[in-house]
Amino acid sequence: MENLSIIVTFELTLDPLYIPPGAKYPIFFIGIFIYMFSVFCNLTLLLLIMLQQSLHKPMYFILFSLPLNDLVGITSMFPKFLSDIVTETNYTYYPLCVFQAFLFHMYGGVVLFTLAAMAFDRYVAVCMPLRYNAIMTPKVVMGIIFLVWGLDLLSVVVLFSLQGMHSRCRSHIVSLFCDNPSLLKLTCGNTTVNNIFGLWLTALGQVIAISIQGFSYVKILLTCLSSSRSEAKSKAINTCLAQLAIFIIYEITMLFYILSHRFSYVNSNLQKIMGMLIFLVSPLLNPVVYGLNNHEIRKHLIKVFKRRISV
């Protein structure tokens, strides 16, 4: 039986990512470029939605949560990861680890439910265009945003409250970053209740998000296929396919990473790479699909750049 004793130190070690000799600085500079590009794109999208009066519509109010959440997600992990590569250190402190894990789970839930909320908004816009303003009132939109953030916050608080009931007996995080499954592996005693609740929470979130998106996109595609307007049909289908592609990629990486903590035979480097992709897929692709691919946002971007060039 493993000999465990309660640990009171705040310092924790993280699993390092294998970096080939000579690749440290190239990876660091590529990582800096990716991070700065993501921050620039998401901040631009946020500012456009805030400052352009014509974008003050239900769709964009819901969309606002996405770049805001993406900035929180990538900033909570990537700068620390890049710093560890350059300094060749792999330690953190328990309060910071808990904070990072809290942000990670908030980020994951908000991405999932915001994409579902946006799919529902598009369903109403495409399938019930004459009733859109009557259905998507400011009160309804605020309610949707509150549900996305409020329910996610409540579930994460409960998740971490259960985790905080256990004492720590270990000081090594079996991941590149902190999350609830990794923190649970530091604790003493039986964590069955935590694991069951965590999996139940994951399954419930997946069922809700997939059901809403599945229903919405099927209805949208059926409406588009029966439409006689070929241009509108093509535009809606292309938008749906792009959004579905992001959702599927995000789902694969997130589910693989969560389930990999339950199986010891999963390759550790593959687990780490998939973990990083969780933070990279959404912040990099969302501004392109929901920003540059959007006619109104693209029009405002062109105006802003033309104005800057003329000045």
Side-chain angles (χ1 to χ4, degrees):
M1 182 179 294
E2 187 179 5
N3 185 24
L4 300 175
S5 58
I6 295 176
I7 292 177
V8 294
T9 180
F10 277 165
E11 188 170 305
L12 305 174
T13 58
L14 298 163
D15 258 2
L17 179 69
Y18 171 72
I19 304 293
K24 180 173 72 172
Y25 287 106
I27 290 175
F28 172 76
F29 286 115
I30 291 171
I32 286 289
F33 173 78
I34 290 172
Y35 177 69
M36 296 304 294
F37 176 77
S38 173
V39 169
F40 172 77
C41 291
N42 284 287
L43 274 178
T44 301
L45 193 53
L46 281 176
L47 290 172
L48 279 175
I49 295 172
M50 285 192 295
L51 300 177
Q52 298 296 329
Q53 191 70 29
S54 62
L55 297 180
H56 292 178
K57 301 174 183 177
M59 171 186 174
Y60 298 107
F61 286 135
I62 296 172
L63 172 62
F64 188 85
S65 291
L66 215 50
L68 178 63
N69 186 56
D70 286 341
L71 283 172
V72 172
I74 195 168
T75 302
S76 69
M77 188 279 286
F78 218 54
K80 173 70 168 65
F81 168 70
L82 295 175
S83 172
D84 288 348
I85 287 178
V86 172
T87 58
E88 297 184 359
T89 57
N90 61 322
Y91 65 86
T92 187
Y93 295 95
Y94 184 72
L96 293 176
C97 190
V98 172
F99 183 61
Q100 185 185 54
F102 186 89
L103 291 179
F104 167 71
H105 287 273
M106 278 294 299
Y107 162 78
V110 170
V111 170
L112 199 63
F113 294 128
T114 301
L115 291 177
M118 291 178 66
F120 174 75
D121 174 79
R122 291 300 82 203
Y123 156 68
V124 177
V126 174
C127 301
M128 294 177 280
L130 298 179
R131 297 177 56 200
Y132 180 80
N133 290 328
I135 296 173
M136 299 300 290
T137 62
K139 189 174 181 180
V140 170
V141 172
M142 290 305 297
I144 290 172
I145 295 170
F146 175 79
L147 283 175
V148 167
W149 288 89
L151 290 180
D152 189 44
L153 176 62
L154 177 63
S155 62
V156 174
V157 167
V158 174
L159 189 68
F160 277 77
S161 298
L162 288 174
Q163 186 265 127
M165 294 170 62
H166 298 278
S167 301
R168 287 186 294 122
C169 302
R170 303 170 186 86
S171 60
H172 180 70
I173 296 288
V174 289
S175 180
L176 288 173
F177 54 87
C178 300
D179 53 29
N180 186 61
S182 299
L183 286 169
L184 270 181
K185 292 177 182 178
L186 303 179
T187 60
C188 321
N190 192 328
T191 58
T192 303
V193 172
N194 303 71
N195 287 321
I196 291 174
F197 181 75
L199 287 172
W200 176 82
L201 205 61
T202 301
L204 181 64
Q206 295 296 323
V207 168
I208 293 173
I210 291 173
S211 298
I212 293 173
Q213 297 218 52
F215 171 81
S216 299
Y217 286 129
V218 166
K219 286 287 188 179
I220 289 170
L221 290 172
L222 289 175
T223 301
C224 291
L225 291 173
S226 62
S227 172
S228 58
R229 297 173 58 192
S230 58
E231 184 180 347
K233 182 195 303 184
S234 175
K235 181 180 175 182
I237 290 175
N238 288 337
T239 301
C240 288
L241 289 177
Q243 293 175 357
L244 277 173
I246 288 182
F247 178 69
I248 290 169
I249 293 170
Y250 176 78
E251 281 288 278
I252 291 171
T253 54
M254 177 65 83
L255 286 176
F256 179 91
Y257 182 76
I258 291 173
L259 295 176
S260 68
H261 278 283
R262 271 74 185 179
F263 304 100
S264 58
Y265 55 81
V266 176
N267 182 275
S268 62
N269 282 326
L270 179 60
Q271 182 190 56
K272 293 169 189 174
I273 291 170
M274 295 296 274
M276 283 195 298
L277 286 176
I278 294 171
F279 291 96
L280 294 177
V281 169
S282 181
L284 287 173
L285 295 183
N286 283 338
V288 176
V289 171
Y290 297 103
L292 294 178
N293 198 42
N294 182 286
H295 174 71
E296 283 189 90
I297 289 178
R298 190 167 61 246
K299 180 178 67 176
H300 286 296
L301 275 174
I302 292 170
K303 283 184 180 179
V304 170
F305 282 121
K306 281 183 177 179
R307 196 177 304 139
R308 291 291 181 185
I309 291 171
S310 63
V311 171

